[in-house]
Amino acid sequence: DAKTTQPPSMDCAEGRAANLPCNHSTISGNEYVYWYRQIHSQGPQYIIHGLKNNETNEMASLIITEDRKSSTLILPHATLRDTAVYYCIVRVDSMYNAGNMLTFGGGTRLMVKP
Amino acid sequence: GAGVSQSPSNKVTEKGKDVELRCDPISGHTALYWYRQSLGQGLEFLIYFQGNSAPDKSGLPSDRFSAERTGGSVSTLTIQRTQQEDSAVYLCASSLGPIDWGVKGNTIYFGEGSWLTVV
């Protein structure tokens, strides 16, 4: 699986958009980009995923560059409750891949400040 | 409950003792995963169960770790002769089936974790 690189930490003012970058320069054509977050002392929570096109749901937007080598997770109006560690994962689309598990790296620690 | 349930939520044990951690997946979910997360680290895959297939144990760090899943539902992770480096939060997750990455909404749902401290 492709490796991802994320900044270790970021700050964001409450009410402003939080833009979390992720580099995945070795991503292959059948790998999806997934974002999860983990709020302190809770289990990881799914946010959004995509392959090529930009995606939006009730939680966030995902912008994937045309060459797919990087992506940005956007929280449009960050709140204090969005303070968490955000994980970017790329994963091959194969239901026969053992476990289809999501193995997380260090992620980005987002601190939303009032 | 509607989510993945784990017990105990917190466990303090003495070095050398055995511990058992329990996971109740979401009803109807055939796939069950165990992960662990040490302080300040990312998630580490441990083991994966899918239906009646042989589990993927490739992530178990040593033969002190084992897991079983009875009746395709509840799972127990057992750590024998615990060591201090086993201290971590152990997360269980489940999904409806093998993850189909192309299907939106088919995601892996995590429990709140079992916090294990070995002293």
Side-chain angles (χ1 to χ4, degrees):
Chain A
D1 296 329
K3 296 287 190 287
T4 62
T5 305
Q6 297 177 253
S9 64
M10 290 181 63
D11 290 344
C12 178
E14 187 179 18
R16 304 297 292 267
N19 298 287
L20 293 94
C22 179
N23 287 324
H24 30 80
S25 59
T26 59
I27 192 170
S28 59
N30 62 347
E31 286 182 313
Y32 286 70
V33 180
Y34 273 72
W35 282 85
Y36 277 72
R37 74 178 181 183
Q38 187 174 25
I39 296 171
H40 179 64
S41 80
Q42 298 181 15
Q45 175 190 23
Y46 166 82
I47 302 174
I48 198 168
H49 76 286
L51 181 63
K52 296 181 185 177
N53 300 322
N54 298 337
E55 302 288 346
T56 296
N57 63 19
E58 65 278 4
M59 290 184 67
S61 294
L62 174 61
I63 309 298
I64 303 174
T65 58
E66 189 170 347
D67 62 8
R68 303 211 319 124
K69 292 185 177 182
S70 65
S71 61
T72 301
L73 178 73
I74 301 172
L75 307 179
H77 305 286
T79 70
L80 298 180
R81 289 175 295 179
D82 292 323
T83 292
V85 179
Y86 287 77
Y87 296 97
C88 168
I89 303 134
V90 292
R91 185 68 184 169
V92 67
D93 176 12
S94 170
M95 63 186 293
Y96 301 107
N97 195 337
N100 276 297
M101 60 280 191
L102 297 175
T103 303
F104 298 76
T108 296
R109 188 172 301 275
L110 176 68
M111 179 70 70
V112 180
K113 298 183 176 180
Chain B
V4 177
S5 177
Q6 292 187 243
S7 62
S9 55
N10 284 285
K11 176 73 175 180
V12 180
T13 190
E14 293 181 352
K15 178 181 175 181
K17 300 280 189 181
D18 296 351
V19 296
E20 285 189 351
L21 307 175
R22 176 189 168 102
C23 172
D24 278 287
I26 294 172
S27 179
H29 280 196
T30 63
L32 186 148
Y33 316 74
W34 281 99
Y35 292 81
R36 73 175 176 182
Q37 186 172 23
S38 301
L39 189 63
Q41 303 296 314
L43 278 185
E44 177 187 2
F45 167 74
L46 296 178
I47 190 169
Y48 161 63
F49 296 89
Q50 172 52 49
N52 295 321
S53 302
D56 174 10
K57 304 180 181 179
S58 60
L60 295 177
S62 77
D63 58 9
R64 296 186 295 106
F65 288 74
S66 63
E68 62 178 20
R69 189 178 184 190
T70 55
S73 181
V74 172
S75 176
T76 302
L77 177 69
T78 302
I79 308 173
Q80 296 178 311
R81 307 181 300 282
T82 52
Q83 303 294 314
Q84 289 185 329
E85 60 264 27
D86 299 335
S87 295
V89 59
Y90 288 80
L91 289 160
C92 177
S94 71
S95 60
L96 187 60
I99 293 290
D100 181 349
W101 302 110
V103 175
K104 292 191 185 304
N106 189 343
T107 58
I108 180 172
Y109 299 89
F110 287 82
E112 295 300 312
S114 291
W115 294 78
L116 175 66
T117 304
V118 182
V119 297

